[in-house]
Amino acid sequence: MAFSLFGHAEGSSKRPKIGLVLSGGGAKGFAHVGALKVIEEAGIPVDFITGTSVGSIVGGLYAVGYDATMLENIIQSQNWQELLSNSFKREYTPAIIKEEQSRYLISLPIETRKISIPIGLLNGQNVMEFFTYLTYGYHDVIDFSKLPIPFECIAADISTGEEVVLKKGCLPKAIRASMAVPAAIAACEIDGRMLVDGGIVNNFPVDRCREMGADIIIGIDIQDELLTKDKIKSIPDVISQLTSLMSIERSEKNRKNVDILIKPDISGYSASSFDTESAIALMKRGEEAARKILPQLIRMRDSLGIVPVVKKTRELPDENVIVNVSKIEVEGTEKTNIVSFLGKMGIGKDKKVTLAHIRQSVSRIYAAGNYERVDFRISGDAQKTIYIIVKESSTQRLNIGLHYDTDLKASALINTTVYSDRISGSNISLDAKLSSFPMFSARYSLDRGWKPGFTGAGSFTADRIWGYENGRKTSEINVQLINFQVATQAVISDAFRISIGASLEHFRFGTIIGTQDYAALKNEIFYNYFAKFKLDELDHPYFPTNGWAMDGIFKLVTDNGWTYTGKSPVVMTGLTFKGAKRISDRLTLLPAFFSQFTLATTAPVYYKSYIGGYQRTNYFGVYIPFAGLRRMELVADNVVLARLDLRLRLWQKVFVSVNPNIGLYGNNTAPFIEGNFMVGGGFSIAYDSMVGPIEFNVSSSNINNKVTAFFSLGYCF
């Protein structure tokens, strides 16, 4: 004898069937969970579920066995801002493109020589992956009537405006389609139809639940009344209003067809209130609304002769469970070698992996940037087949970056990257930085993973070197660098990159302003050899809370390919370390170390260490930041600096930090012996905005004994 979620026997077929209908409404749908808690408390069995948009999320998860308490735990433990975004864990991003992806404000595909605008701000990758995980064990159930509770959800065909009732197929994909708010979340293709949020056609699908066979309907309605013009103040407000306008007549008709209506008070919250505090409050309001009709629910239960039977809830899938993989099948790719997928999946000869490993592998494939979407499902009983379903992204992209700071003023970056194909891993990237100090570059790269690849690049960069005396700026030199280089490289474990190569560097001096005598300066060409390594395991490029990163370089500088001024080549070494350690939910410790040494009596002026400021970009490879000095305020052949920031998160994306640092510098090959000591520090406040970090710093040091202010807006490039 089988039982439904609350244990009524199949043999009791004469009992009226009870349907549950959950309306759409974005984040306000958290109230559904609170109301479900009271329905469970009353001992009401649920025989059918229909839902739209967020109602399909709650309804679909309820249908596979999660009870209200478990749903409440899931909601409170998730970072919904991250789930409903296009971001991904940085640890899965290949080392060779980590820097690239932290430079751009806008990235647009180029299709058939035209810039293509995405059909939704969000691609839904993260939330789709999460639904796939939560429904693990039901990936083979393609008829939703076979779920523990029969389920249907509503979507709309964006090309025809028709209502689409999703009752078969891939459950997480059906939920994803039902919640695809037009313009906000990209439409979802199912059976050749482009589907979006069903709220525009049937936001409270009572009629569909009746068609499933429900005799009694319990409806939880979180829809807003139409907003007055003075309350329409944001894009989510506009989208919510349009959704309500399109389906208001049908919703009102369906509302009249409900036997028991639960109408939570969701005033003060919007469809975009996805923060944890709002979620908790909305669940409470749903519970309060349902508790008001609890006597009515109990009377209905008793009149139907229902005896409540508590059934153990479905637990979250165990990520450590062993999956025996018989094969991997890839759908949707034309240009990708299947071997590359197998490499990313990292499945050994015994073909046994954990569910967590599969999820991480999918995230790693997506983070590589070759696909707009990477979905998966796991099919089979003892032996599993992993299906990877991808949509390839454009092989050409237009990327745009914008930045302003008080040192270098306003600048814009225009980049186009062209991937020749996805099998070889080769690409061409062109940069144009538009500012008072422009930069232009072209780079060809062949990425072969751990096998030696190739990079060839050429660039033109303009910058300036400032001269100071007693803390006062006395001169300014405009410098231009023309650089050509070739190198071989290898990438290990997506985090570690090493390269060995040679470069031609032509320095040219432009205008010289100031009182100092620079008659000795001249245009000069250098033929250099280098070895570099870069390791980056920070979880965020600007506001990390965990991980560490290292940069190292060994460089031989010559003026003829073999010697410098007839003597041995100038030997340069540099090492940078940055770390992040979360102390608490709000507090992060950020240690850092910077060093650069020139193993020569005196380094050429072009390769000295220029110390000071907060600037992140380092086109010439000689800049070292120091809180308390202005940009490039101090010049030395050798320097060692240590810094220990303490950053406090005040609100979701607002941070304050203190930035103490100390150092030794000098023109002796042993700056520790020479003993030039520097100490400084500052205070910073920053906001992680949609257009990039916004940061304001004030600092001072023992070198100039002056307060220095610095402001920066946007991603650095």
Side-chain angles (χ1 to χ4, degrees):
M1 184 175 292
F3 292 88
S4 74
L5 186 64
F6 287 94
H8 74 275
E10 282 186 347
S12 58
S13 58
K14 294 182 179 179
R15 176 182 65 72
K17 300 295 184 181
I18 300 172
L20 176 67
V21 180
L22 307 175
S23 77
K28 295 172 291 184
F30 292 134
H32 286 318
V33 176
L36 284 173
K37 184 180 291 188
V38 178
I39 293 173
E40 292 178 359
E41 182 182 326
I44 303 298
V46 175
D47 301 294
F48 306 104
I49 302 176
T50 58
T52 299
S53 193
V54 69
S56 73
I57 300 174
V58 177
L61 297 179
Y62 202 71
V64 299
Y66 294 106
D67 68 3
T69 300
M70 180 57 72
L71 290 176
E72 184 179 40
N73 293 336
I74 291 172
I75 289 169
Q76 293 187 45
S77 64
Q78 295 308 307
N79 183 339
W80 288 93
Q81 301 288 347
E82 185 177 290
L83 279 177
L84 296 170
S85 73
N86 292 334
S87 65
F88 43 81
K89 290 185 178 180
R90 196 165 182 264
E91 64 184 280
Y92 300 137
T93 307
I96 203 165
I97 62 173
K98 276 183 179 176
E99 290 183 27
E100 295 292 308
Q101 293 180 335
S102 62
R103 301 195 306 164
Y104 307 127
L105 175 62
I106 301 171
S107 181
L108 300 172
I110 301 175
E111 304 282 356
T112 60
R113 299 182 181 180
K114 294 182 180 179
I115 298 174
S116 176
I117 305 298
I119 59 176
L121 295 175
L122 306 176
N123 59 22
Q125 170 70 27
N126 292 336
V127 75
M128 176 66 180
E129 193 279 332
F130 186 54
F131 294 157
T132 303
Y133 161 65
L134 291 177
T135 57
Y136 177 69
Y138 289 97
H139 293 179
D140 280 334
V141 179
I142 60 174
D143 182 350
F144 303 160
S145 68
K146 305 299 183 183
L147 295 172
I149 303 176
F151 169 73
E152 292 180 2
C153 60
I154 310 301
D157 187 325
I158 193 63
S159 63
T160 65
E162 295 177 329
E163 177 184 6
V164 179
V165 180
L166 298 171
K167 59 182 73 175
K168 293 185 178 182
C170 173
L171 178 61
K173 193 170 186 179
I175 295 172
R176 158 74 177 81
S178 181
M179 60 163 285
V181 179
I185 302 177
C188 186
E189 184 175 350
I190 296 180
D191 296 332
R193 307 180 79 170
M194 295 301 293
L195 304 183
V196 297
D197 194 313
I200 66 176
V201 289
N202 192 354
N203 205 34
F204 194 36
V206 177
D207 49 349
R208 298 306 182 189
C209 198
R210 291 285 186 195
E211 292 173 2
M212 290 181 75
D215 302 300
I216 299 172
I217 297 288
I218 300 173
I220 307 175
D221 185 11
I222 55 163
Q223 298 177 93
D224 279 317
E225 300 297 329
L226 290 177
L227 300 174
T228 57
K229 64 179 182 179
D230 59 306
K231 292 184 178 180
I232 303 176
K233 299 179 179 179
S234 65
I235 292 176
D237 291 339
V238 172
I239 294 173
S240 177
Q241 184 81 339
L242 288 172
T243 300
S244 298
L245 285 170
M246 292 182 194
S247 62
I248 187 169
E249 290 186 8
R250 189 163 183 181
S251 292
E252 290 177 352
K253 181 179 179 181
N254 277 332
R255 199 175 290 120
K256 295 175 182 178
N257 196 20
V258 172
D259 296 288
I260 297 178
L261 179 65
I262 301 174
K263 183 71 175 172
D265 173 17
I266 41 80
S267 60
Y269 297 93
S270 71
S272 58
S273 299
F274 279 101
D275 59 283
T276 302
E277 184 178 343
S278 296
I280 293 172
L282 284 163
M283 287 188 286
K284 184 177 180 180
R285 290 195 183 186
E287 182 177 350
E288 291 171 349
R291 202 161 292 285
K292 291 178 181 178
I293 64 164
L294 180 57
Q296 184 180 351
L297 292 170
I298 292 174
R299 285 196 299 271
M300 181 189 73
R301 178 199 69 193
D302 294 343
S303 69
L304 296 176
I306 297 172
V307 178
V309 177
V310 177
K311 180 184 177 182
K312 184 179 179 181
T313 182
R314 171 182 167 87
E315 299 292 337
L316 288 173
D318 180 5
E319 289 198 280
N320 295 317
V321 66
I322 298 298
V323 179
N324 295 306
V325 181
S326 61
K327 60 179 177 179
I328 299 174
E329 293 192 6
V330 181
E331 302 173 12
T333 179
E334 296 179 358
K335 299 179 181 179
T336 309
N337 191 330
I338 186 63
V339 174
S340 67
F341 280 97
L342 297 176
K344 291 289 186 182
M345 295 298 290
I347 297 177
K349 293 181 179 179
D350 59 357
K351 297 184 178 179
K352 292 183 178 181
V353 293
T354 63
L355 178 58
H357 180 95
I358 295 172
R359 294 185 70 193
Q360 292 166 4
S361 299
V362 170
S363 296
R364 188 168 287 110
I365 293 169
Y366 173 65
N370 294 327
Y371 308 100
E372 293 181 18
R373 186 186 72 249
V374 181
D375 301 334
F376 77 99
R377 61 187 175 90
I378 302 173
S379 178
D381 296 321
Q383 295 295 317
K384 305 288 189 182
T385 298
I386 302 176
Y387 293 93
I388 307 291
I389 306 98
V390 303
K391 181 179 180 182
E392 292 179 328
S393 58
S394 171
T395 56
Q396 302 179 49
R397 299 197 72 85
L398 175 68
N399 305 302
I400 299 173
L402 299 173
H403 182 79
Y404 173 86
D405 65 60
T406 47
D407 285 336
L408 300 179
K409 308 307 178 185
S411 58
L413 175 66
I414 300 175
N415 166 274
T416 182
T417 301
V418 180
Y419 297 90
S420 61
D421 60 64
R422 305 186 193 285
I423 297 175
S424 69
S426 62
N427 69 81
I428 297 174
S429 182
L430 306 175
D431 275 352
K433 176 187 174 185
L434 309 179
S435 73
S436 55
F437 294 89
M439 181 274 294
F440 304 95
S441 70
R443 183 182 68 255
Y444 171 79
S445 178
L446 174 62
D447 177 17
R448 302 181 65 205
W450 63 270
K451 297 180 180 180
F454 173 79
T455 297
S459 66
F460 168 88
T461 307
D463 206 337
R464 57 187 165 189
I465 299 173
W466 293 319
Y468 294 86
E469 288 185 0
N470 300 319
R472 184 174 62 89
K473 186 190 297 184
T474 59
S475 62
E476 178 180 308
I477 311 171
N478 293 315
V479 186
Q480 298 173 355
L481 170 62
I482 300 174
N483 185 308
F484 297 96
Q485 66 175 262
V486 293
T488 184
Q489 63 188 18
V491 177
I492 302 172
S493 300
D494 289 337
F496 184 60
R497 178 178 58 182
I498 57 175
S499 59
I500 300 173
S503 64
L504 182 153
E505 298 179 1
H506 181 196
F507 288 91
R508 300 177 58 192
F509 286 97
T511 57
I512 300 176
I513 303 172
T515 60
Q516 295 185 19
D517 182 13
Y518 288 102
L521 297 177
K522 61 179 180 179
N523 300 338
E524 197 162 355
I525 297 177
F526 296 89
Y527 305 88
N528 302 330
Y529 309 94
F530 61 84
K532 300 178 182 179
F533 77 86
K534 184 177 183 66
L535 186 148
D536 188 347
E537 290 189 330
L538 294 172
D539 59 0
H540 192 283
Y542 293 95
F543 301 100
T545 59
N546 191 40
W548 58 295
M550 290 184 68
D551 281 279
I553 184 171
F554 177 85
K555 190 171 186 177
L556 295 178
V557 177
T558 79
D559 56 9
N560 61 7
W562 186 248
T563 64
Y564 177 65
T565 62
K567 301 178 181 179
S568 299
V570 176
V571 179
M572 297 179 59
T573 63
L575 179 66
T576 297
F577 167 85
K578 296 178 182 179
K581 177 64 177 178
R582 184 197 299 268
I583 299 176
S584 69
D585 184 53
R586 293 181 176 271
L587 202 60
T588 303
L589 192 65
L590 301 157
F593 172 84
F594 305 89
S595 70
Q596 184 162 298
F597 292 91
T598 303
L599 304 183
T601 304
T602 301
V605 65
Y606 325 96
Y607 299 110
K608 289 180 179 289
S609 299
Y610 292 85
I611 310 162
Y614 287 91
Q615 186 68 29
R616 291 172 179 265
T617 52
N618 192 10
Y619 292 115
F620 286 12
V622 296
Y623 172 71
I624 297 179
F626 188 82
L629 295 178
R630 287 167 288 187
R631 182 175 187 264
M632 295 185 171
E633 183 171 349
L634 191 64
V635 184
D637 286 335
N638 305 292
V639 61
V640 177
L641 305 177
R643 181 165 162 174
L644 187 63
D645 290 7
L646 187 65
R647 188 179 65 224
L648 174 68
R649 180 174 59 84
L650 294 180
W651 296 286
Q652 184 71 23
K653 294 187 177 183
V654 179
F655 307 87
V656 294
S657 62
V658 290
N659 324 118
N661 46 198
I662 60 174
L664 294 168
Y665 67 96
N667 294 323
N668 190 295
T669 55
F672 303 104
I673 298 175
E674 193 171 80
N676 292 319
F677 178 72
M678 59 195 302
V679 59
F683 170 83
S684 304
I685 182 167
Y687 173 58
D688 188 9
S689 76
M690 293 181 62
V691 297
I694 301 174
E695 188 168 6
F696 176 74
N697 315 89
V698 290
S699 61
S700 185
S701 74
N702 69 325
I703 301 297
N704 57 25
N705 296 313
K706 292 184 178 181
V707 175
T708 299
F710 177 76
F711 174 77
S712 175
L713 168 65
Y715 300 110
C716 295
F717 48 79

